[in-house]
Amino acid sequence: MKQIAVLFEGDINRRLGVFNAVISRVKHLQQVADYKIDVHMLQVYDGWLMRRVRHSAKVAYRPDEITADGVKVHITWFRRRWSDAIMHRLFHKPPRALMRRLRRLGWEMRGHDLVSAHDRIMGHAAAFAGRQLHIPSFITWHGASIYTDPPRDPMIRELTIKLLHSVTCNFFVSQGLLDKAHAELTDGFPAEVLLNGASAQFHRYDEARRQQLREKYGVNDGKKVVAFVGRFEPVKNVTLLPDIYKQIESKYGNQLTFWAIGDGIQLNETRQLMKEKGVDCHFTGKVPPEEIPDMLNCVDLLVLPSSLEGLPLVVIEALSCGAHVVATNVIGTAEAVGRANAINLGDHFVDRFTDRAVQLLTENIEQKLPPEVSWNATAIKENGIYQQYLR
C-alpha cells in the first residue's frame, strides 16, 4: 500500500473553505484508491505580544491531532515570530523561522511515497520534501495564493513562481485560476485542473424537511430567500449588497426575505448601509458549519458579488442544495454557475447583476452543476495523475 502525505495550513476553530475542501478530497481519494493517507495541518498562532499588535485571539487549546468528518488530522503548531515579521515587512525577505520549520516538516515526510500540499505555505514543505527525499510532490492552488498575495508582495511573488516550477505538478481548482497564473505570474510549469466539489451533506432535502426548516428560520409562506454567504471583507464586495438587495426588491416585489450569513471586518459597515438603504436584512453572524446545509436548503437565490474568486465552494454547495446562484464573472465562477449567471464587473454592474437575479427568481430556469464539478470526479483524476509517478 502506497503512503501519501497531505499538507495544509488551517485553523481548528474555522473549519471552512480550504479546510473542508482538503477533508472532502482526502475522503473521496480514499474511496477510489488504496492509499494510506496521513493528513498534516499547520496552524500558526500568536504569542502575547503579537496578539496585542495584531489584535488576534488567544489559542488556549492546542491539540496534537483532531478528527474532522472521520479524517484524522495531525497538527503542527507554529508561533509567529517578531523576527519573521521584521524580515518580511522591513527587508522583504522570507520569514526564516517559518521556513526552517517547513523544511523540518518536509524531512518528517520520510517513509511517504508522495506528498501533496494545499496553497503556498505548506507548498514550501512539499517542495522541500520532494527535493530532500526524492519523492513526487504536488501543490493545489485554491485562489488567494495566486490572485491576491503575489501581486501585493514582490517577495511572495518570487517565492510563488519558484514553487510553481519546483514541484512535480501543480493542481488548480479552476481553469480560470490556472489561466490567471499563466497570465500574471509565469508559464511553462507542470499543471492540471482539479475542480472542487460539494461534500455529501450539501444536497437537496425533501420538501417536508425544507418546509420545517423554513418555519424554523422564520421564512413566511410564499416568500423567497435571497442570501449572501461568506466573509464580510473587501474582496467579497459586500458593501454592494445593500444596493443589490434594494434593486432586487424593487424589481421583484416585497415577497422576499434577505439574509446575510457570515462575519468579518466589514460586517458592521454592511449592516449600517442596509439600514440607510431601508433594506430589512437578517444578519446571522458566524454560523456553525453543520448548519449551513440547512440554511442553503431554504435559500432560493445566492448572490456572490466578489471581485476575485478561484472556484468558490459556496456556489457549488448552494447549487447542490437546489438554490440558484448569480455571481461575478471572475476567474473560476462561471465554470460552476454557468456563463449566463456570471456577470462582468464594470459599468452598471448592479443593474445587470440584479436583472439576472430577478430572472432566476421569476422564470423556470434550470441551473445545475456540470458533472465534472464533483469530488468523485476529482478523486478519480487525482489518482490517475498520482499513478503516473508512484512506482
Side-chain angles (χ1 to χ4, degrees):
M1 178 185 294
K2 297 296 184 180
Q3 186 169 352
I4 69 176
V6 174
L7 315 179
F8 72 105
E9 182 189 7
D11 185 339
I12 61 173
N13 297 311
R14 292 185 65 85
R15 303 186 188 186
L16 302 167
V18 173
F19 187 106
N20 283 341
V22 172
I23 299 303
S24 294
R25 216 164 96 177
V26 166
K27 289 185 65 175
H28 283 81
L29 185 59
Q30 288 174 324
Q31 291 170 8
V32 303
D34 187 23
Y35 297 133
K36 181 180 186 301
I37 304 178
D38 296 319
V39 183
H40 297 262
M41 186 184 89
L42 176 74
Q43 180 156 349
V44 178
Y45 70 100
D46 292 328
W48 175 80
L49 191 55
M50 288 292 281
R51 288 201 308 273
R52 288 182 64 87
V53 173
R54 291 168 47 84
H55 306 289
S56 55
K58 181 179 180 180
V59 180
Y61 176 57
R62 299 204 293 268
D64 294 331
E65 65 180 44
I66 59 172
T67 300
D69 201 13
V71 175
K72 183 184 290 186
V73 180
H74 305 281
I75 302 176
T76 296
W77 294 88
F78 178 80
R79 184 165 60 83
R80 202 184 316 266
R81 305 293 202 272
W82 265 107
S83 57
D84 279 359
I86 293 170
M87 288 294 295
H88 184 185
R89 299 301 176 191
L90 295 185
F91 299 106
H92 308 291
K93 299 291 185 182
R96 290 179 179 175
L98 176 60
M99 298 299 275
R100 284 197 301 269
R101 185 64 189 93
L102 293 172
R103 193 175 288 110
R104 289 203 305 274
L105 189 60
W107 274 116
E108 291 168 18
M109 297 303 107
R110 287 189 299 269
H112 291 87
D113 299 287
L114 179 152
V115 59
S116 183
H118 290 258
D119 279 333
R120 176 175 50 84
I121 298 298
M122 289 297 255
H124 288 292
F128 287 142
R131 291 194 300 269
Q132 294 162 347
L133 305 176
H134 307 290
I135 58 176
S137 58
F138 301 80
I139 302 176
T140 295
W141 302 92
H142 289 267
S145 286
I146 293 295
Y147 61 64
T148 298
D149 298 333
R152 292 178 178 174
D153 191 311
M155 183 270 290
I156 291 177
R157 177 185 174 86
E158 181 181 347
L159 290 177
T160 302
I161 291 173
K162 184 177 179 180
L163 279 176
L164 288 165
H165 290 281
S166 296
V167 293
T168 306
C169 191
N170 296 276
F171 297 144
F172 289 80
V173 298
S174 70
Q175 182 63 47
L177 192 62
L178 174 55
D179 294 343
K180 188 82 168 176
H182 279 152
E184 299 189 7
L185 293 178
T186 184
D187 212 337
F189 54 84
E192 295 280 351
V193 175
L194 291 182
L195 299 174
N196 287 329
S199 36
Q201 65 265 37
F202 292 96
H203 63 275
R204 179 76 166 184
Y205 298 170
D206 62 59
E207 288 306 311
R209 175 65 175 148
R210 292 183 70 247
Q211 185 58 39
Q212 288 176 349
L213 288 167
R214 288 172 68 87
E215 293 174 3
K216 171 185 173 180
Y217 292 117
V219 180
N220 296 332
D221 287 342
K223 286 203 171 186
K224 292 191 174 183
V225 177
V226 178
F228 166 84
V229 181
R231 302 186 309 277
F232 284 76
E233 56 186 42
V235 74
K236 299 294 183 179
N237 272 338
V238 289
T239 55
L240 292 180
L241 286 175
D243 283 325
I244 288 171
Y245 282 4
K246 187 67 175 180
Q247 283 205 29
I248 292 175
E249 184 178 51
S250 175
K251 294 172 181 179
Y252 181 84
N254 61 3
Q255 290 299 302
L256 295 170
T257 295
F258 294 108
W259 288 354
I261 302 170
D263 62 0
I265 60 174
Q266 289 188 303
L267 176 60
N268 290 335
E269 180 184 0
T270 308
R271 194 195 307 269
Q272 181 60 37
L273 289 171
M274 287 286 188
K275 290 180 180 178
E276 292 173 5
K277 292 286 181 181
V279 179
D280 183 10
C281 177
H282 174 54
F283 287 83
T284 67
K286 185 178 179 180
V287 171
E290 60 272 15
E291 197 172 337
I292 296 296
D294 290 351
M295 300 194 79
L296 286 178
N297 264 275
C298 297
V299 171
D300 295 282
L301 176 70
L302 179 83
V303 298
L304 190 68
S306 307
S307 59
L308 287 170
E309 292 284 356
L311 184 63
L313 278 174
V314 68
V315 304
I316 297 171
E317 292 163 351
L319 289 167
S320 298
C321 291
H324 284 89
V325 178
V326 61
T328 40
N329 185 28
V330 289
I331 304 184
T333 52
E335 294 172 51
V337 306
R339 181 62 189 88
N341 308 302
I343 311 302
N344 292 329
L345 288 163
D347 293 342
H348 308 293
F349 165 72
V350 173
D351 292 333
R352 292 181 282 109
F353 190 93
T354 55
D355 283 346
R356 185 56 179 174
V358 173
Q359 272 189 299
L360 292 172
L361 286 168
T362 57
E363 300 178 16
N364 186 24
I365 297 173
E366 186 176 55
Q367 190 180 15
K368 290 186 176 181
L369 283 170
E372 62 270 22
V373 183
S374 154
W375 284 128
N376 190 56
T378 292
I380 292 170
K381 184 175 181 180
E382 183 176 13
N383 178 47
I385 295 168
Y386 286 166
Q387 289 301 317
Q388 299 176 36
Y389 299 99
L390 289 171
R391 298 290 184 266

